[in-house]
Amino acid sequence: MSTIQSPRGLGVFLLLPILMAAFCYYTLNQLSSHSPIRNRNIALLIAHPDDEAMFFSPTIQSLVDPSLKNTVQIVCFSIGNAEGIGNIRETELLASADLLGVPNATQSVLIYDEPGLPDSMTQAWPEDLVASVISESLKDLREENNGSKVDTFITFDKGGVSSHPNHISLLRGAKYYLRHYPVHHEILLYTLDTVPIYRKYLSIFDAFITTLLERKSDDTLQGEGEEGYSGNGAPKSAMYLSNWQAYRTAQRAMTEGHKSQMVWFRWGWITLSRYMVFNNLVLDTDRS
């Protein structure tokens, strides 16, 4: 007798849709209680062309929603020239940003080719040089946006998602900038949460795990009298879960936008990675 024909196997088979429905209901209910980032002039700081698609697609597609009244721009700190095709990857980044819904990508995406910030899996970038490029980019973005100042950074956290030294250097450089350019101390800094490898490839299912952990953390903070907002009313965390259409758009940003990067193992990433379908951002208030 096959497993599914046995009473126990049949019970498990019938229980799966119920469990999936409960998972969806709980996750969406928890996410609906999180206020998104809104009314902000945002600069997404990435290290290489394709970072925006591989790691930040849910965030970008959510933040460009006109109802949130955000301005979304991307600052890329290298052309990704490790294999000598940086000129191709620059063009691909613009195509990807356009697919993800970034308005006026040719003006909203800045790509730098600073010799001191090479595309490297082994070399960290000097935080003061990263800060200098940030300063230059903010001037350029202000010119492109009729004098409107960037008030929010979004970038990688100290784990860099993949422990990539270039990713990690962006956080250090952003903090250096906020410490040493005091005129801009009011800028908010959100970081993308790095999760253990066993959660990295759970796709949408990690949204359920994250919301459970977030709920436990929220209960603890409420018990200590803390709330989920910073002093200026910005959310201390934000979660973005893509629907099927947005998930497919994120995949297209890689398969159609970043064609040069679609080697065999990236197919596994765009299929299984939780970052292709779900992002959770945390407000970083530690300037050290």
Side-chain angles (χ1 to χ4, degrees):
M1 182 178 290
S2 66
T3 302
I4 196 170
Q5 290 176 327
S6 68
R8 179 179 295 180
L10 182 60
V12 171
F13 180 75
L14 294 176
L15 187 60
L16 283 176
I18 298 175
L19 292 176
M20 286 296 296
F23 148 74
C24 293
Y25 175 79
Y26 179 84
T27 302
L28 293 175
N29 184 58
Q30 291 299 305
L31 289 174
S32 67
S33 67
H34 279 73
S35 295
I37 298 170
R38 61 175 70 242
N39 300 312
R40 309 297 298 184
N41 190 3
I42 299 163
L44 171 64
L45 311 180
I46 61 174
H48 322 97
D50 76 16
D51 287 349
E52 82 298 335
M54 290 180 62
F55 305 110
F56 294 97
S57 291
T59 294
I60 294 172
Q61 293 186 82
S62 297
L63 291 178
V64 297
D65 183 338
S67 68
L68 297 180
K69 299 181 180 180
N70 293 311
T71 300
V72 179
Q73 299 132 129
I74 299 174
V75 181
C76 186
F77 286 72
S78 80
I79 60 174
N81 201 38
E83 298 176 349
I85 57 171
N87 59 326
I88 294 175
R89 299 192 67 188
E90 286 186 86
T91 302
E92 290 179 338
L93 173 53
L94 296 177
S96 170
D98 189 57
L99 282 168
L100 293 173
V102 177
N104 304 314
T106 54
Q107 284 77 42
S108 300
V109 179
L110 301 182
I111 308 171
Y112 292 90
D113 186 19
E114 167 60 51
L117 305 178
D119 175 10
S120 171
M121 288 291 295
T122 60
Q123 184 174 339
W125 291 342
E127 58 186 29
D128 59 335
L129 183 54
V130 173
S132 176
V133 174
I134 290 175
S135 179
E136 180 181 349
S137 72
L138 295 191
K139 294 176 184 177
D140 292 339
L141 290 175
R142 187 172 180 179
E143 291 178 2
E144 294 291 345
N145 288 283
N146 300 316
S148 179
K149 297 181 180 179
V150 168
D151 56 31
T152 304
F153 290 155
I154 297 176
T155 194
F156 297 97
D157 68 357
K158 62 183 180 181
V161 175
S162 58
S163 298
H164 197 304
N166 297 168
H167 295 175
I168 296 169
S169 296
L170 292 183
L171 175 63
R172 295 173 179 170
K175 289 189 174 186
Y176 185 97
Y177 177 84
L178 294 173
R179 289 196 309 269
H180 293 85
Y181 295 73
V183 69
H184 297 297
H185 72 277
E186 75 282 359
I187 294 178
L188 300 180
L189 173 60
Y190 283 94
T191 60
L192 182 65
D193 192 26
T194 297
V195 299
I197 191 168
Y198 61 84
R199 288 175 52 193
K200 191 181 294 186
Y201 296 99
L202 291 178
S203 187
I204 192 173
F205 295 102
D206 194 61
F208 177 63
I209 295 174
T210 302
T211 52
L212 279 176
L213 295 174
E214 184 81 4
R215 178 61 181 270
K216 182 177 180 181
S217 176
D218 287 346
D219 290 344
T220 300
L221 291 176
Q222 289 176 6
E224 296 173 354
E226 298 187 29
E227 297 181 355
Y229 296 88
S230 65
N232 60 7
K236 290 184 177 179
S237 65
M239 297 185 186
Y240 299 106
L241 180 66
S242 296
N243 58 24
W244 175 252
Q245 181 179 358
Y247 173 52
R248 290 293 295 130
T249 297
Q251 291 181 321
R252 288 178 55 221
M254 285 298 297
T255 59
E256 299 176 20
H258 294 286
K259 292 181 180 179
S260 72
Q261 301 305 297
M262 285 308 298
V263 292
W264 67 268
F265 58 84
R266 290 238 163 80
W267 288 97
W269 179 270
I270 69 170
T271 302
L272 299 175
S273 171
R274 55 98 76 175
Y275 293 98
M276 293 293 294
V277 67
F278 175 67
N279 287 164
N280 61 305
L281 306 178
V282 178
L283 182 63
D284 191 319
T285 57
D286 179 10
R287 296 294 181 255
S288 60

